[in-house]
Amino acid sequence: MADWEAAAWFFEHTVDGFVVVKDGAIERVNPAWTALTGWTPEETIGRNYTDFMHPEDTAGLAAAGEALAAAGSATFENRLLSKTGGWLWMRKRAKRARDGRALVALHDITQERRRQADTQQAFRIAQFLGQAAGIQVFRYDAVAQIADVDPLSSEPKEQVTRVSWRDTVHPDDIDAVELAWDQTRRSGGAAAVEYRVRVEGGWRRVRATWQGLARRHTGDWDVLVITQDITELADARDAALAAAEAKAQFLANISHEIRTPMNGVLGVLHILKAEALPPGDLRMIEEALACGSTLSQLLDDIIDFSKVEAGKVEFSPEPVELSAALDVVAGMLRPEAESRGLYLLAEAPADAGWARVDPIRLRQMLFNLLGNAVKFTEAGGVRMRLATRGRGERQRLRIEIEDTGIGIPVAVQLKLFERFQQGDGSTTRRFGGSGLGLAVTRALAEQMGGRIGFKSREGRGSTFWIDLPAPACEAPEPVPVDPAGERWLQGLKVLVVEDNATNRLVATRMLGALGAEVDTAEDGAEGVSRASAKTYDLIFMDIQMPVMDGFEATRRIRALPGPAAQTPILATTANVMAHQIEAYRQVGMDGHIAKPILPAALLGEIARLSAGAEAA
């Protein structure tokens, strides 16, 4: 086949359009032209090429014509009119023949152009959003040790060196940031840090995340970095945390102020209960003590919910006999249940044994759930069941509390664990309660690594369950306590340092009834003076007092010469979180008793100190 025959065959059969143009007029088109544009040869030949061009592309065509005249060939892109009315992007290569004609090859790049337009639009949107959100992108070159700012941009790159970047970071943050950066640079692992950067007029706060992209021959990784200015967000977060902390502190102070008179009330009631009283009077005292216990539980719920919101809940796991823990809670609520004709059963397997859990938190959760079950049950009763699964450190505890009460409407089941929620308004008026108990119980269970849930049918009762990690452990050595001994503290010389007059009276009567010789001091300074003038066997030290608080008083007593410095000191306070207890020990206190003070708790702590002294 001759060359001209091969060219003619290609002209007729190629998928690219071909057009022969002379002096601007179209002389010939191939079948692909019609396939691409829809225009037939009859509709095309004789017309000027510009008739099919987009008006905005004529300038580019003129430049291509100049290049064609000067060099004999040209490559350009422009839009051609489709017969259907749309525009087609074409990449064109033109070749000028000796007779002045031009052969123009057309390749359809419409889809390519659309993808480019979409990509550019996406980049523009991303750039806008990035600027609005304060986002920057860097690519760090491990060989050049330079980071390009916004590497996706076609603009000239702004480059940052480690030295220039380091100079912008706040001195207090640089060590932590560089430690995380060097770990990623060496390993390629992801990291996220927050730090402050210097800007005109002060400092801004930045959150940065980075990830290794490729390991280079040097052993270090190229790293992609995304930073976001979070100054306003972080300020709002800090303000919220500060508000939560302030609320928690306020409630802690209120707690102390409430517990101080509560301690006096309950203390006096305990003293009166020990007196020889007519049965009717004794029953009234027991009712008052039960009300005081309920008030104390409500206060605990309020304080604990505040701790949950502020992230300040602390746990102190210790060996607990599981079946005994159930019996204690059931025993607290059984009198109320029986007085209303309800049964209250606590069931545990004989081999439940001991486990390490926080006894106070466990008792609080069970008291809330069991208390609700009793409160919302009018006939029948409540059954509490305990079971364990797993062994050793993997052991878990499951407790179910099943009642025959009023049940929970389907409409309120989803929000039952929300704060301040109960079944409905009528339930609140009928049964009372703050609506905090379940919210606190769920928060405590989850922060202990457990779960809580329920199933209920309105009018048919409810079953609540708690599932908690409870590593199995051995029973601790028993502490020898003889609460039955009426004069168990006979001959013990005790100093009570307490600023509240009622609490001093209660402590004096309570300790005196147990046989102790009691002196009192109204503040820490007076307590130090008495401790330096007389030898005591035990000192009860309040924490928050005027003139001198319990911390400073303890430090000064520990600095006294002679045996006075070794006197056991027990903190008496409503503030018994783990970090607070540790603070008491740090200043030299030997233990603590939570307010309101119960005789059994007082005896138990004294017995613990006595057992420790005998062992020493």
Side-chain angles (χ1 to χ4, degrees), residues 238-274:
D238 291 348
L241 291 175
E245 177 65 27
K247 181 170 65 174
Q249 186 60 49
F250 169 76
L251 288 174
N253 292 336
I254 290 295
S255 168
H256 181 270
E257 296 303 319
I258 294 175
R259 287 181 187 274
T260 296
M262 186 190 301
N263 182 60
V265 171
L266 295 182
V268 170
L269 290 173
H270 277 293
I271 291 172
L272 290 176
K273 184 179 177 181

Short mmCIF file of all heavy atoms in Angstrom, two decimals, residues 238-274:
data_model
loop_
_atom_site.label_atom_id
_atom_site.label_comp_id
_atom_site.label_asym_id
_atom_site.label_seq_id
_atom_site.Cartn_x
_atom_site.Cartn_y
_atom_site.Cartn_z
N ASP A 238 -11.41 24.94 77.70
CA ASP A 238 -10.82 25.23 79.01
C ASP A 238 -11.81 25.97 79.90
O ASP A 238 -11.85 25.74 81.11
CB ASP A 238 -9.55 26.07 78.83
CG ASP A 238 -8.42 25.26 78.19
OD1 ASP A 238 -8.57 24.03 78.10
OD2 ASP A 238 -7.42 25.87 77.78
N ALA A 239 -12.59 26.86 79.28
CA ALA A 239 -13.59 27.59 80.06
C ALA A 239 -14.63 26.63 80.61
O ALA A 239 -15.07 26.74 81.77
CB ALA A 239 -14.24 28.67 79.22
N ALA A 240 -15.04 25.64 79.77
CA ALA A 240 -16.02 24.66 80.23
C ALA A 240 -15.45 23.81 81.36
O ALA A 240 -16.13 23.52 82.34
CB ALA A 240 -16.46 23.78 79.06
N LEU A 241 -14.18 23.39 81.20
CA LEU A 241 -13.55 22.58 82.26
C LEU A 241 -13.40 23.39 83.54
O LEU A 241 -13.60 22.88 84.64
CB LEU A 241 -12.18 22.08 81.78
CG LEU A 241 -12.22 21.02 80.67
CD1 LEU A 241 -10.80 20.70 80.21
CD2 LEU A 241 -12.90 19.76 81.17
N ALA A 242 -13.03 24.67 83.38
CA ALA A 242 -12.91 25.52 84.56
C ALA A 242 -14.25 25.71 85.25
O ALA A 242 -14.34 25.71 86.48
CB ALA A 242 -12.32 26.88 84.16
N ALA A 243 -15.31 25.85 84.43
CA ALA A 243 -16.64 25.99 85.01
C ALA A 243 -17.04 24.72 85.76
O ALA A 243 -17.61 24.77 86.85
CB ALA A 243 -17.66 26.30 83.92
N ALA A 244 -16.74 23.54 85.14
CA ALA A 244 -17.05 22.28 85.81
C ALA A 244 -16.25 22.14 87.10
O ALA A 244 -16.76 21.67 88.12
CB ALA A 244 -16.77 21.11 84.87
N GLU A 245 -14.98 22.54 87.05
CA GLU A 245 -14.14 22.46 88.25
C GLU A 245 -14.65 23.41 89.32
O GLU A 245 -14.70 23.06 90.51
CB GLU A 245 -12.70 22.82 87.88
CG GLU A 245 -11.74 22.84 89.05
CD GLU A 245 -11.55 21.47 89.69
OE1 GLU A 245 -11.72 20.46 88.99
OE2 GLU A 245 -11.27 21.43 90.90
N ALA A 246 -15.05 24.62 88.90
CA ALA A 246 -15.59 25.57 89.87
C ALA A 246 -16.87 25.05 90.50
O ALA A 246 -17.10 25.19 91.70
CB ALA A 246 -15.84 26.92 89.19
N LYS A 247 -17.72 24.42 89.66
CA LYS A 247 -18.96 23.84 90.19
C LYS A 247 -18.66 22.73 91.18
O LYS A 247 -19.29 22.63 92.24
CB LYS A 247 -19.83 23.33 89.05
CG LYS A 247 -21.16 22.74 89.50
CD LYS A 247 -22.09 22.47 88.34
CE LYS A 247 -21.56 21.41 87.42
NZ LYS A 247 -22.53 21.05 86.36
N ALA A 248 -17.68 21.87 90.80
CA ALA A 248 -17.32 20.77 91.69
C ALA A 248 -16.78 21.30 93.02
O ALA A 248 -17.10 20.78 94.09
CB ALA A 248 -16.29 19.87 91.02
N GLN A 249 -15.96 22.37 92.92
CA GLN A 249 -15.40 22.93 94.15
C GLN A 249 -16.50 23.57 94.99
O GLN A 249 -16.51 23.45 96.22
CB GLN A 249 -14.33 23.97 93.79
CG GLN A 249 -13.59 24.54 95.00
CD GLN A 249 -12.87 23.45 95.78
OE1 GLN A 249 -12.16 22.64 95.21
NE2 GLN A 249 -13.06 23.42 97.10
N PHE A 250 -17.43 24.24 94.30
CA PHE A 250 -18.55 24.85 95.03
C PHE A 250 -19.36 23.79 95.76
O PHE A 250 -19.69 23.93 96.94
CB PHE A 250 -19.43 25.61 94.05
CG PHE A 250 -20.74 26.06 94.63
CD1 PHE A 250 -20.81 27.15 95.49
CD2 PHE A 250 -21.92 25.38 94.33
CE1 PHE A 250 -22.03 27.55 96.03
CE2 PHE A 250 -23.13 25.78 94.86
CZ PHE A 250 -23.19 26.87 95.72
N LEU A 251 -19.67 22.69 95.03
CA LEU A 251 -20.45 21.63 95.66
C LEU A 251 -19.67 20.95 96.78
O LEU A 251 -20.25 20.52 97.78
CB LEU A 251 -20.87 20.61 94.61
CG LEU A 251 -21.95 21.09 93.64
CD1 LEU A 251 -22.20 20.06 92.56
CD2 LEU A 251 -23.24 21.41 94.37
N ALA A 252 -18.34 20.84 96.61
CA ALA A 252 -17.54 20.26 97.69
C ALA A 252 -17.60 21.14 98.94
O ALA A 252 -17.70 20.64 100.07
CB ALA A 252 -16.09 20.10 97.23
N ASN A 253 -17.54 22.46 98.73
CA ASN A 253 -17.63 23.36 99.88
C ASN A 253 -19.01 23.29 100.53
O ASN A 253 -19.15 23.26 101.75
CB ASN A 253 -17.35 24.80 99.43
CG ASN A 253 -15.90 25.00 99.03
OD1 ASN A 253 -15.02 24.25 99.46
ND2 ASN A 253 -15.64 25.98 98.19
N ILE A 254 -20.06 23.25 99.66
CA ILE A 254 -21.41 23.12 100.19
C ILE A 254 -21.55 21.80 100.94
O ILE A 254 -22.19 21.72 102.00
CB ILE A 254 -22.44 23.21 99.05
CG1 ILE A 254 -22.50 24.64 98.51
CG2 ILE A 254 -23.81 22.77 99.53
CD1 ILE A 254 -23.01 25.66 99.50
N SER A 255 -20.95 20.74 100.37
CA SER A 255 -20.98 19.44 101.04
C SER A 255 -20.41 19.53 102.44
O SER A 255 -20.97 19.00 103.40
CB SER A 255 -20.21 18.42 100.21
OG SER A 255 -19.98 17.24 100.94
N HIS A 256 -19.27 20.20 102.54
CA HIS A 256 -18.65 20.32 103.86
C HIS A 256 -19.55 21.08 104.81
O HIS A 256 -19.73 20.71 105.98
CB HIS A 256 -17.30 21.01 103.73
CG HIS A 256 -16.57 21.15 105.04
ND1 HIS A 256 -16.71 22.25 105.86
CD2 HIS A 256 -15.72 20.31 105.66
CE1 HIS A 256 -15.96 22.09 106.94
NE2 HIS A 256 -15.34 20.93 106.84
N GLU A 257 -20.14 22.17 104.31
CA GLU A 257 -20.99 22.99 105.18
C GLU A 257 -22.25 22.23 105.59
O GLU A 257 -22.74 22.41 106.71
CB GLU A 257 -21.37 24.28 104.45
CG GLU A 257 -20.19 25.19 104.13
CD GLU A 257 -19.41 25.56 105.39
OE1 GLU A 257 -20.04 25.83 106.43
OE2 GLU A 257 -18.16 25.55 105.33
N ILE A 258 -22.78 21.37 104.70
CA ILE A 258 -23.97 20.60 105.05
C ILE A 258 -23.62 19.46 105.99
O ILE A 258 -24.33 19.16 106.95
CB ILE A 258 -24.66 20.06 103.78
CG1 ILE A 258 -25.22 21.23 102.96
CG2 ILE A 258 -25.78 19.09 104.13
CD1 ILE A 258 -25.81 20.81 101.63
N ARG A 259 -22.50 18.79 105.70
CA ARG A 259 -22.14 17.63 106.51
C ARG A 259 -21.77 18.00 107.94
O ARG A 259 -21.91 17.19 108.84
CB ARG A 259 -20.97 16.88 105.84
CG ARG A 259 -21.38 16.12 104.60
CD ARG A 259 -20.19 15.40 104.01
NE ARG A 259 -20.50 14.80 102.72
CZ ARG A 259 -21.04 13.59 102.57
NH1 ARG A 259 -21.33 12.87 103.63
NH2 ARG A 259 -21.30 13.11 101.37
N THR A 260 -21.27 19.21 108.13
CA THR A 260 -20.90 19.61 109.49
C THR A 260 -22.11 19.60 110.42
O THR A 260 -22.09 18.93 111.47
CB THR A 260 -20.21 20.99 109.48
OG1 THR A 260 -18.99 20.89 108.74
CG2 THR A 260 -19.91 21.46 110.88
N PRO A 261 -23.21 20.31 110.10
CA PRO A 261 -24.39 20.20 110.98
C PRO A 261 -25.03 18.81 110.93
O PRO A 261 -25.58 18.34 111.93
CB PRO A 261 -25.35 21.27 110.45
CG PRO A 261 -24.92 21.53 109.05
CD PRO A 261 -23.44 21.33 109.04
N MET A 262 -24.95 18.12 109.75
CA MET A 262 -25.50 16.78 109.67
C MET A 262 -24.77 15.84 110.63
O MET A 262 -25.37 14.97 111.27
CB MET A 262 -25.39 16.25 108.24
CG MET A 262 -26.08 14.89 108.04
SD MET A 262 -25.71 14.17 106.43
CE MET A 262 -26.34 15.46 105.37
N ASN A 263 -23.46 16.01 110.70
CA ASN A 263 -22.67 15.20 111.63
C ASN A 263 -23.15 15.40 113.06
O ASN A 263 -23.28 14.45 113.85
CB ASN A 263 -21.19 15.57 111.52
CG ASN A 263 -20.31 14.73 112.42
OD1 ASN A 263 -20.27 13.53 112.30
ND2 ASN A 263 -19.61 15.39 113.33
N GLY A 264 -23.47 16.67 113.38
CA GLY A 264 -23.97 16.95 114.73
C GLY A 264 -25.32 16.31 114.98
O GLY A 264 -25.56 15.69 116.02
N VAL A 265 -26.22 16.42 114.00
CA VAL A 265 -27.57 15.86 114.16
C VAL A 265 -27.50 14.35 114.32
O VAL A 265 -28.07 13.77 115.26
CB VAL A 265 -28.44 16.24 112.95
CG1 VAL A 265 -29.76 15.48 112.99
CG2 VAL A 265 -28.71 17.75 112.94
N LEU A 266 -26.80 13.68 113.39
CA LEU A 266 -26.74 12.22 113.45
C LEU A 266 -25.96 11.75 114.68
O LEU A 266 -26.29 10.72 115.28
CB LEU A 266 -26.10 11.67 112.17
CG LEU A 266 -26.89 11.92 110.89
CD1 LEU A 266 -26.17 11.29 109.70
CD2 LEU A 266 -28.30 11.35 110.99
N GLY A 267 -24.93 12.52 115.05
CA GLY A 267 -24.17 12.14 116.25
C GLY A 267 -25.04 12.19 117.49
O GLY A 267 -24.99 11.28 118.34
N VAL A 268 -25.80 13.25 117.64
CA VAL A 268 -26.70 13.36 118.81
C VAL A 268 -27.72 12.22 118.80
O VAL A 268 -28.02 11.62 119.85
CB VAL A 268 -27.41 14.73 118.80
CG1 VAL A 268 -28.51 14.76 119.84
CG2 VAL A 268 -26.40 15.85 119.07
N LEU A 269 -28.25 11.89 117.61
CA LEU A 269 -29.23 10.80 117.53
C LEU A 269 -28.60 9.46 117.93
O LEU A 269 -29.23 8.65 118.61
CB LEU A 269 -29.79 10.71 116.11
CG LEU A 269 -30.71 11.87 115.69
CD1 LEU A 269 -31.06 11.76 114.21
CD2 LEU A 269 -31.99 11.89 116.53
N HIS A 270 -27.36 9.22 117.52
CA HIS A 270 -26.69 7.99 117.91
C HIS A 270 -26.48 7.94 119.43
O HIS A 270 -26.62 6.88 120.07
CB HIS A 270 -25.34 7.87 117.20
CG HIS A 270 -25.44 7.31 115.81
ND1 HIS A 270 -25.83 6.02 115.56
CD2 HIS A 270 -25.22 7.90 114.60
CE1 HIS A 270 -25.83 5.82 114.24
NE2 HIS A 270 -25.48 6.94 113.64
N ILE A 271 -26.15 9.09 120.01
CA ILE A 271 -25.98 9.13 121.48
C ILE A 271 -27.29 8.85 122.18
O ILE A 271 -27.37 8.07 123.14
CB ILE A 271 -25.40 10.50 121.89
CG1 ILE A 271 -23.95 10.63 121.38
CG2 ILE A 271 -25.44 10.66 123.41
CD1 ILE A 271 -23.37 12.00 121.56
N LEU A 272 -28.38 9.49 121.68
CA LEU A 272 -29.68 9.27 122.30
C LEU A 272 -30.14 7.82 122.13
O LEU A 272 -30.78 7.25 123.02
CB LEU A 272 -30.71 10.22 121.67
CG LEU A 272 -30.55 11.70 122.01
CD1 LEU A 272 -31.57 12.53 121.24
CD2 LEU A 272 -30.69 11.93 123.52
N LYS A 273 -29.81 7.22 120.99
CA LYS A 273 -30.20 5.84 120.75
C LYS A 273 -29.58 4.90 121.78
O LYS A 273 -30.16 3.85 122.13
CB LYS A 273 -29.78 5.41 119.34
CG LYS A 273 -30.23 4.01 118.96
CD LYS A 273 -29.79 3.67 117.54
CE LYS A 273 -30.19 2.24 117.18
NZ LYS A 273 -29.75 1.87 115.81
N ALA A 274 -28.39 5.26 122.29
CA ALA A 274 -27.72 4.41 123.28
C ALA A 274 -28.30 4.58 124.68
O ALA A 274 -27.97 3.81 125.59
CB ALA A 274 -26.22 4.73 123.30
#
